Amino acid sequence: MKLHFNPVSPFVRKALVVAHERGLAAQITLLPRAMSPVTPDEELNRDNPLGKIPCLITDDGLVLYDSRVICAYLDSLGQGPELIPAGGSERWAALRREALGDGIMDAGVGMRYETVLRPEGLRWADWIAGQKGKIARALDALEAEAQEVAPRLHIGTIAIGCALGYLDFRFADDRWRERRPRLAEWFATFAERASMRATAPA
Ligand SMILES: N[C@@H](CCC(=O)N[C@@H](CS)C(=O)NCC(=O)O)C(=O)O
């Protein structure tokens, strides 16, 4: 398998954590990409018309995007307990938490583009404040349910772990841990997993 990748993308990290947890990481060749919404990469665009990473090319020649599809594919291969629960309330709780983690990453990546890529005179403070509000509310919701989040490794906890890792990497000054001690405690343990250590943003 081949993966269009960048080591600082939280969505790529999510796919790679799943690959590590399923014992598949060694089967993936990484194809480094350094594109952005304003500096497209033609090779990536040929595989993913949306121009986004992660994008996986399977050994059968299937091209898969986005991270949710790739994670579901990797979960269908590999070994050990499945990361996407097959059914029941556990499935919907895991998928909902995946959406929450992905949403934090979407808001964070969007803010990063707004502050780094967009020319200074065109930046929009209200839009950035709106994204910060999404992240703050999502973190508060996770703090409120931290006890339930903790016990099981699944796609939801992986997405949340990658989202918190991205906040530490790009927005450390925002100090998300303040007022969220239970989530911070959960993440301190989760971040020590071998899969998380192997994929930490450089
Ligand atoms: N929903 C997508 C989001 C992927 C995404 O936003 N990736 C960013 C890098 S972190 C990207 O490729 N941005 C380039 C662009 O938007 O043109 C997923 O889950 O894979």
Side-chain angles (χ1 to χ4, degrees), residues 6 8-12 14 35-38 40 44 48 50-55 65-70 102 105-106 109 113 166:
N6 185 291
V8 302
S9 163
F11 294 100
V12 167
K14 186 180 139 201
M35 74 304 139
S36 79
V38 289
L44 172 63
N48 179 357
L50 300 172
K52 293 191 181 199
I53 53 174
C55 174
Y65 46 85
D66 55 11
S67 67
R68 290 188 203 188
V69 179
I70 294 169
D102 284 3
M105 294 193 256
D106 270 329
V109 170
Y113 289 152
Y166 187 70

Side-chain angles (χ1 to χ4, degrees), residues 81-134:
E82 288 180 348
L83 298 171
I84 303 176
S89 59
E90 208 192 358
R91 174 178 175 81
W92 304 116
L95 293 181
R96 199 251 308 155
R97 290 198 176 108
E98 180 183 20
L100 204 50
D102 284 3
I104 293 172
M105 294 193 256
D106 270 329
V109 170
M111 265 166 52
R112 174 85 185 155
Y113 289 152
E114 180 74 14
T115 50
V116 173
L117 289 184
R118 196 184 284 272
E120 202 164 349
L122 299 177
R123 289 179 201 158
W124 187 10
D126 287 351
W127 189 87
I128 294 176
Q131 302 309 305
K132 282 192 174 186
K134 290 178 196 296

Side-chain angles (χ1 to χ4, degrees), residues 1-6 28-34 41 43-44 47 53 55-57:
M1 293 181 274
K2 295 180 193 154
L3 186 73
H4 292 288
F5 126 113
N6 185 291
I28 298 180
T29 303
L30 300 175
L31 307 175
R33 293 284 162 252
D41 178 316
E43 208 175 320
L44 172 63
D47 284 333
I53 53 174
C55 174
L56 183 80
I57 299 120

Side-chain angles (χ1 to χ4, degrees), residues 1 3 10-26 28 54 56 67-84 98 102 153-160 162 190 193-196 198-199:
M1 293 181 274
L3 186 73
F11 294 100
V12 167
R13 186 182 192 189
K14 186 180 139 201
L16 285 176
V17 169
V18 168
H20 277 273
E21 294 289 350
R22 300 290 287 158
L24 298 166
I28 298 180
L56 183 80
S67 67
R68 290 188 203 188
V69 179
I70 294 169
C71 290
Y73 177 78
L74 295 175
D75 199 39
S76 74
L77 309 175
Q79 304 183 346
E82 288 180 348
L83 298 171
I84 303 176
E98 180 183 20
D102 284 3
L153 175 74
H154 56 52
I155 194 63
T157 41
I158 289 172
I160 291 163
C162 293
F190 192 81
R193 295 187 71 84
S195 61
M196 289 292 285
T199 59

